Structure formats: C-alpha cells, structure tokens
C-alpha cells in the first residue's frame, strides 16, 4: 500500500514537458545571439579607449621631457624605453599594445638628419628648427609597429574612429596617421 501511494504521488508531481524545455532553450539562444555582438562591441570600445588613453599619457610624458630638457629623447627601438624615459612612462610601453604591435619613439628630421641636439639654433645648412642644424623640419611621434610576432589586430573603420577621437578623422593627415603597417601619433611635425 505504501508503495502504491509513493508511485501515485510521483506521477501527480508537476514536471516540465519536452516542448516547454525546448521553448526555454530557444529563448536563451535568441537572447545570447543578441547579446554576443553587443558585448563584442563593448570589448572593442574598451580596447580603443585604452589605446587612446595610453597615447595621450605617453605623449604628455614626452612633452614634459621636452619642456624639462629642451629636446625630445633620441629615437628608440621597438619595445624599449627611449633614453631618460624608463622612470617616466609605464611598463605598457615595453609590452605589446592593446591592438597588437609594439611601441617605438621616433625623433628626427624629415630628411634623415637632425635629432634634437640643439635648441632653436641656426645650424650648419639651414635654420635647424630645434635640431642639430642640418635643415629640414623635425618630427616626433609615437609609433605602433607591427611585426610577425605582434601583428596589428584592428580594422580600418576602428582606426578612423580613433583618428576621429584624437585628431581630424582622416588617417592620412593630422596627428594620428596610418603609415604602411604602422600607426603614428605625432607630437611635432
């Protein structure tokens, strides 16, 4: 008798049918399909914001260095601190950027000469314009270079968004430029 009551009480219990479970799974699938692109976009926006913030902070530190010493530091190789900057900028400089590639500092004249050894001097062959006197204009920029181990992982539409935030919206002119397989953020040009 006790066994019969147990069997009867088990069959009277409420349970989910296969159709109800299928409906719930379908609803969860639809919600996930809607949410995944949104979360991907939020993640990409966070990466872009981090990159823009890093470029602003790095550029401020280079400009402060120039104010303190009268010239920017010499050009560095990718992934290494420029001379005198190791204690000024974060370790993010020596690590791959959030979009891939590695940071590099460039300070030279547009004709390959110069380099920041003088302060508005007259120079040998021209006006010097903050260089060591070989004429031509000087330029200083932060570059994100790509290589086989750290390729850039960003599409051109996102680059245009970065340029719009930092500069003029055109990646071929202004302070933020795409140059071949690298990105340049100019402090002086």
């Amino acid at each position: 008798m006790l066994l019969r009551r147990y069997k009867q009480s088990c069959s009277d219990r409420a349970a989910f049918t296969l159709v109800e479970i299928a409906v719930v799974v379908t609803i969860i699938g639809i919600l996930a399909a809607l949410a995944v692109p949104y979360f991907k976009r939020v993640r990409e926006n966070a990466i872009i914001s981090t990159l823009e913030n890093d470029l602003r902070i790095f550029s401020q530190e280079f400009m402060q260095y120039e104010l303190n010493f009268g010239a920017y530091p010499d050009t560095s190789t990718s992934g290494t601190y420029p001379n005198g900057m190791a204690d000024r900028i974060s370790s993010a400089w020596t690590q791959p950027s959030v979009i891939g590639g590695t940071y590099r500092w460039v300070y030279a004249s547009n004709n390959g000469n110069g380099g920041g050894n003088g302060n508005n001097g007259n120079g040998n062959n021209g006006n010097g314009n903050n260089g060591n006197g070989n004429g031509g204009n000087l330029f200083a920029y932060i570059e994100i270079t790509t290589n086989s181990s750290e390729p850039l992982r960003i599409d051109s539409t996102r680059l245009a968004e970065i340029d719009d935030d930092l500069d003029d919206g055109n990646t071929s002119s202004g302070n933020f430029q795409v140059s071949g397989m690298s990105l340049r953020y100019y402090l002086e040009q």
Side-chain angles (χ1 to χ4, degrees):
M1 176 95 161
L2 190 57
L3 184 59
R4 192 181 309 156
R5 277 191 199 163
Y6 177 74
K7 285 183 180 180
Q8 188 175 4
S9 68
C10 287
S11 64
D12 290 343
R13 285 189 200 166
F16 293 111
T17 65
L18 191 56
V19 172
E20 291 170 329
I21 293 173
V23 168
V24 170
V25 168
T26 303
I27 291 171
I28 291 171
I30 291 170
L31 291 175
L34 294 173
V36 167
Y38 174 77
F39 287 122
K40 182 180 178 188
R41 182 72 176 183
V42 168
R43 182 179 176 273
E44 289 175 357
N45 287 343
I47 288 170
I48 297 305
S49 294
T50 301
L51 176 68
E52 291 172 356
N53 188 49
D54 285 349
L55 288 173
R56 286 183 182 120
I57 290 171
F58 293 154
S59 66
Q60 289 172 355
E61 291 301 331
F62 282 107
M63 287 188 276
Q64 185 64 44
Y65 182 96
E66 194 270 338
L67 285 172
N68 290 344
F69 298 105
Y72 289 109
D74 293 332
T75 299
S76 69
T77 58
S78 293
T80 62
Y81 291 112
N83 288 337
M85 294 298 291
D87 59 339
R88 294 175 172 266
I89 54 180
S90 75
S91 63
W93 181 269
T94 60
Q95 299 168 2
S97 78
V98 292
I99 61 166
T102 53
Y103 291 105
R104 177 178 175 238
W105 171 250
V106 178
Y107 179 55
S109 70
N110 62 2
N111 61 8
N113 299 321
N117 294 331
N119 291 319
N120 294 324
N122 289 330
N124 297 334
N125 297 327
N127 65 7
N129 193 16
N130 253 0
N132 64 3
N134 289 322
N137 292 327
L138 292 180
F139 54 87
Y141 59 85
I142 298 167
E143 183 175 49
I144 301 175
T145 60
T146 187
N147 56 48
S148 59
S149 64
E150 281 299 329
L152 291 177
R153 301 175 305 270
I154 190 165
D155 63 26
S156 59
T157 58
R158 296 311 305 237
L159 288 174
E161 290 176 27
I162 294 169
D163 191 86
D164 194 37
D165 290 343
L166 295 175
D167 195 24
D168 60 0
N170 183 352
T171 58
S172 61
S173 67
N175 292 341
F176 184 80
Q177 296 181 18
V178 176
S179 177
M181 297 297 291
S182 65
L183 307 175
R184 294 178 177 175
Y185 186 62
Y186 284 89
L187 280 65
E188 186 175 319
Q189 54 178 331

